[in-house]
Amino acid sequence: MTSIRNDWTREEIASIYNKSILNLIYEAATVHREFHDAQEVQVCTLLSVKTGGCPEDCAYCPQAARYHTDVKVEKLMEVNDVLQRAMEAKESGSTRFCMGAAWREVRDNRDFDKVIDMVKGVSGMGMEVCCTLGMLTPSQALKLKEAGLYAYNHNLDTSEEYYNDIITTRTYTDRLDTLESVRNAKISVCSGGIIGMGEHENDRIGMLRILATLPEHPESVPVNALVPIPGTPLEDQPRVSVWEMLRMIATARIIMPRAMVRLSAGRVSMTLEEQALCFLAGANSIFAGDKLLTTRNSGGIRDKEMFQVLQLKPRMAHKNG
Ligand code: SF4
């Protein structure tokens, strides 16, 4: 039986990450089958409830106000409109609904009250409700928990060493503090990162080590491939290969066996066969719909066909293990 460990060293993770690719996938697939039903994939929907105009400088993000991108600034959506979108997502098979706001941090104001109402409404539909709203204080985390928030997403993005090359307007410690507030409020933690931002493989390993040595592993680990957006500082980054995604997914699966590993941004440019390899390597969640916040995503028809061909089963909400 594979044990759950929180004492991984960088060297141990590097030796997993650098295994020959077929052995790495085989090992990850074996661990995956020990902890999960390997035919099950959770379908999630991510909706941008407040778009653009963000004061932060995340180099990959088209929503940062300082970059000139095609993203149009939109104020916080109305609660009923969000609930309508959540219902549509549920009807089309999503069991998790994540609401993203392009904020630096949550402020205790009327907009936050509206988000609380959104959380209550979506939670009442029986979906796993998740938010990604920027930095969060312990009291705000508790308020969200009381409203029925199931999970909170706050990605580490990259390693501590490479972080300042990507974001200068908040620190790595700020990120970890938010994750601690979420954990202390007994909200499920969703945290992962992005590859293809010019980082070294050591940075990918470093980020995975931080996640896998948190006092408790995140329940959810999104693995994103950068989708370079014109107007952002990373617009000219070459796309990552599927082999790099596979190494990240498989390593995350082996070192955090219970986590949901989410094949997130970048899926749009993958073939069905490449996605099948990602599921074999331990990914067990995808995001549905045409958009991931503001970025292009795989559409529903293509996913329906994929579920049929690979004989995948949609994972129910609130399922453990
Ligand atoms: S990733 Fe989030 S915090 Fe960073 S610029 Fe984009 S919206 Fe703002």
Side-chain angles (χ1 to χ4, degrees):
M1 183 78 186
T2 304
S3 57
I4 305 293
R5 288 180 48 196
N6 300 69
D7 59 352
W8 293 99
T9 64
R10 197 181 260 262
E11 291 68 32
E12 285 175 313
I13 297 174
S15 80
I16 295 170
Y17 183 94
N18 289 315
K19 275 179 196 275
S20 71
I21 190 76
L22 295 182
N23 282 336
L24 176 60
I25 293 173
Y26 176 76
E27 191 178 321
T30 309
V31 172
H32 190 45
R33 277 151 184 74
E34 208 182 305
F35 288 85
H36 302 269
D37 179 340
Q39 291 304 122
E40 264 187 10
V41 171
Q42 185 174 35
V43 182
C44 316
T45 292
L46 174 55
L47 175 70
S48 179
V49 296
K50 189 269 162 188
T51 303
C54 181
E56 300 291 274
D57 69 349
C58 308
Y60 51 83
C61 181
Q63 301 201 66
R66 67 193 71 203
Y67 308 139
H68 301 288
T69 67
D70 287 345
V71 169
K72 305 262 174 306
V73 178
E74 287 166 28
K75 65 180 180 57
L76 187 67
M77 286 175 72
E78 293 306 323
V79 176
N80 283 342
D81 295 338
V82 171
L83 298 187
Q84 173 68 32
R85 298 286 290 274
M87 186 50 78
E88 288 164 12
K90 184 179 176 180
E91 282 164 2
S92 65
S94 284
T95 56
R96 186 165 169 122
F97 189 73
C98 184
M99 298 177 281
W103 288 332
R104 170 182 162 75
E105 75 245 297
V106 172
R107 302 242 169 96
D108 295 301
N109 57 17
R110 258 190 281 169
D111 276 354
F112 185 42
D113 295 340
K114 269 168 96 173
V115 170
I116 291 287
D117 288 340
M118 293 172 193
V119 169
K120 285 181 184 161
V122 180
S123 170
M125 293 176 195
M127 300 174 90
E128 292 176 12
V129 52
C130 175
C131 281
T132 182
L133 312 169
M135 292 187 281
L136 203 62
T137 63
S139 67
Q140 291 163 343
L142 284 172
K143 234 175 146 181
L144 285 163
K145 171 73 181 173
E146 278 163 22
L149 190 76
Y150 183 79
Y152 194 83
N153 165 265
H154 201 61
N155 288 334
L156 291 182
D157 287 348
T158 188
S159 69
E160 192 162 9
E161 295 77 17
Y162 193 62
Y163 184 80
N164 284 341
D165 288 61
I166 300 299
I167 299 141
T168 65
T169 47
R170 71 175 97 170
T171 66
Y172 213 69
T173 308
D174 290 333
R175 300 230 166 211
L176 293 169
D177 288 348
T178 291
L179 292 183
E180 196 180 333
S181 300
V182 172
R183 179 59 79 202
N184 289 343
K186 305 212 177 331
I187 296 169
S188 175
V189 172
C190 175
S191 188
I194 308 171
I195 64 169
M197 300 194 294
E199 76 286 345
H200 190 270
E201 288 197 320
N202 273 337
D203 295 305
R204 299 175 186 175
I205 290 161
M207 182 190 77
L208 287 171
R209 190 188 69 83
I210 303 263
L211 293 170
T213 56
L214 288 171
E216 276 179 74
H217 294 163
E219 285 79 8
S220 164
V221 178
V223 179
N224 295 280
L226 178 75
V227 177
I229 307 289
T232 63
L234 299 181
E235 62 183 349
D236 292 325
Q237 279 298 316
R239 288 185 184 274
V240 297
S241 73
V242 69
W243 309 114
E244 294 171 274
M245 279 299 270
L246 284 164
R247 285 194 185 279
M248 281 302 283
I249 289 168
T251 308
R253 167 54 63 226
I254 292 167
I255 64 176
M256 294 174 277
R258 284 206 190 105
M260 296 294 294
V261 176
R262 302 190 193 272
L263 173 56
S264 308
R267 193 168 71 87
V268 68
S269 50
M270 284 185 180
T271 63
L272 189 152
E273 292 81 359
E274 288 171 340
Q275 292 181 64
L277 278 174
C278 292
F279 298 135
L280 190 61
N284 57 353
S285 169
I286 57 167
F287 287 88
D290 295 330
K291 272 195 176 172
L292 261 187
L293 294 178
T294 59
T295 308
R296 216 159 49 84
N297 188 39
S298 261
I301 294 169
R302 207 173 152 222
D303 287 342
K304 240 182 208 156
E305 184 197 331
M306 180 172 75
F307 267 69
Q308 275 169 8
V309 172
L310 303 180
Q311 295 169 282
L312 299 174
K313 296 183 289 191
R315 182 182 161 107
M316 311 286 281
H318 305 110
K319 191 180 168 214
N320 289 320

